[in-house]
Structures are given as structure tokens and as C-alpha cells.
Amino acid sequence: MNSLLQLSHQSGQILLKNKLVLATAESCTGGGIASAITDIAGSSAWFDRAFVTYSNDAKTQMVGVKPQTLQAYGAVSEAVVTEMALGTLEHSQATTAISVSGIAGPGGATETKPVGTVCFAWADKSGWLHVETQYFTGDRASVREQSVRYALQVLNEHYLHDPIG
């Protein structure tokens, strides 16, 4: 079993143990987190849905990101991924959400947001909210893969160290 499959399997075990259901809102990963999760047989027991919110319109229409937030901070921002994660919880049956938006490259970078800039948010219905930005290196495929892995690793570490109940 490859390491991403192992990570996804671990996510499933942790979510099942804690009686949690996951949904994702993904931009730069294009559904990669959801794909990794659904590679695991039986994932429907702990995975509800994925929103692939690549465009700004999708972010507002599907998960309720405010146009003012996008205008003020840009799609690749901690403010936007926070609204994406909280909106995912509101627009799904999930109890836990992961959101991600970033610049996988090769274009789209700015002086303050270079290629490899990826913003993440994790949230759950118990009130947990964790938001951070990471800077990955490599080509487009590498940045996207590192983002998927990181999103699942943080989810797993949180519930391993702070289980529900």
C-alpha cells in the first residue's frame, strides 16, 4: 500500500472511531483530497462530499464565501479558506471539513504569494478551527500532492491528539 493510501486509510479509521464524517472544499487540489479518501473501500461511512471550488464564483455559490472576502484578501488566503471550511460544514452532512486554496503553478504567483503558497483550514462542529499557510516546492503535480498529504496529516494528528468524546 502506498503512503498516500495508508494516510487515507488512517484518516478513515480515525474518523470512524470518533464518529465523524468529512467533507472537503478544494481549489488548487481539484478534488485530490476527496480522490485520496475515496480510494479507500467503505469510505462512504465517513466521507460525505467534496466541493471543487476552483473559481471564485464556485467558492461563493457552493460554500458561501463572501465576495467581499475574496476581493479584500484574494482566493489564496486564510480568510477565504476559513469561510470555505465553515461553509462546507453548513452545506453538507459533514461534522468535519477540510478546505484548501493555493497556487500550484506554474503561473498565478505574485510577489507576496509565490508558487507553492497553499492555505488550509480544518473545522468541525465541536468548534475546532485550525487555519494555516504552507509553502511547498516543486512543480504543479508536486505542490498538489504535498497539499493533499498535508491536509490529511493535520486532520489525523488533531484527532489522534485531541479525540472527540
Side-chain angles (χ1 to χ4, degrees):
M1 185 182 302
N2 75 40
S3 63
L4 184 55
L5 204 55
Q6 288 174 324
L7 190 58
S8 299
H9 182 74
Q10 182 185 34
S11 297
Q13 291 177 321
I14 290 167
L15 291 164
L16 274 173
K17 179 182 176 191
N18 288 287
K19 297 178 175 55
L20 297 168
V21 175
L22 179 67
T24 63
E26 302 181 58
S27 188
C28 68
T29 51
I33 299 167
S35 178
I37 289 164
T38 58
D39 281 344
I40 305 301
S43 58
S44 62
W46 51 273
F47 183 68
D48 179 49
R49 68 189 74 182
F51 299 98
V52 178
T53 57
Y54 205 71
S55 71
N56 287 350
D57 284 344
K59 288 172 181 65
T60 60
Q61 293 167 9
M62 296 173 76
V63 293
V65 173
K66 295 179 192 86
Q68 308 90 293
T69 306
L70 285 160
Q71 187 174 12
Y73 300 100
V76 180
S77 66
E78 292 185 0
V80 166
V81 293
T82 297
E83 289 186 10
M84 287 170 66
L86 296 175
T88 297
L89 291 174
E90 290 177 25
H91 293 92
S92 70
Q93 303 303 310
T95 55
T96 302
I98 298 172
S99 64
V100 60
S101 185
I103 303 166
T110 67
E111 192 174 305
T112 58
K113 295 178 185 176
V115 169
T117 303
V118 182
C119 299
F120 297 89
W122 299 261
D124 70 23
K125 296 237 172 151
S126 77
W128 173 54
L129 175 64
H130 178 73
V131 184
E132 66 178 89
T133 300
Q134 290 292 314
Y135 300 92
F136 300 115
T137 59
D139 63 9
R140 182 176 182 81
S142 177
V143 168
R144 288 166 49 117
E145 181 183 345
Q146 289 171 80
S147 298
V148 169
R149 288 179 187 280
Y150 191 76
L152 293 175
Q153 286 169 345
V154 171
L155 179 82
N156 293 356
E157 287 171 14
H158 171 72
Y159 288 116
L160 283 172
H161 293 97
D162 189 18
I164 301 292

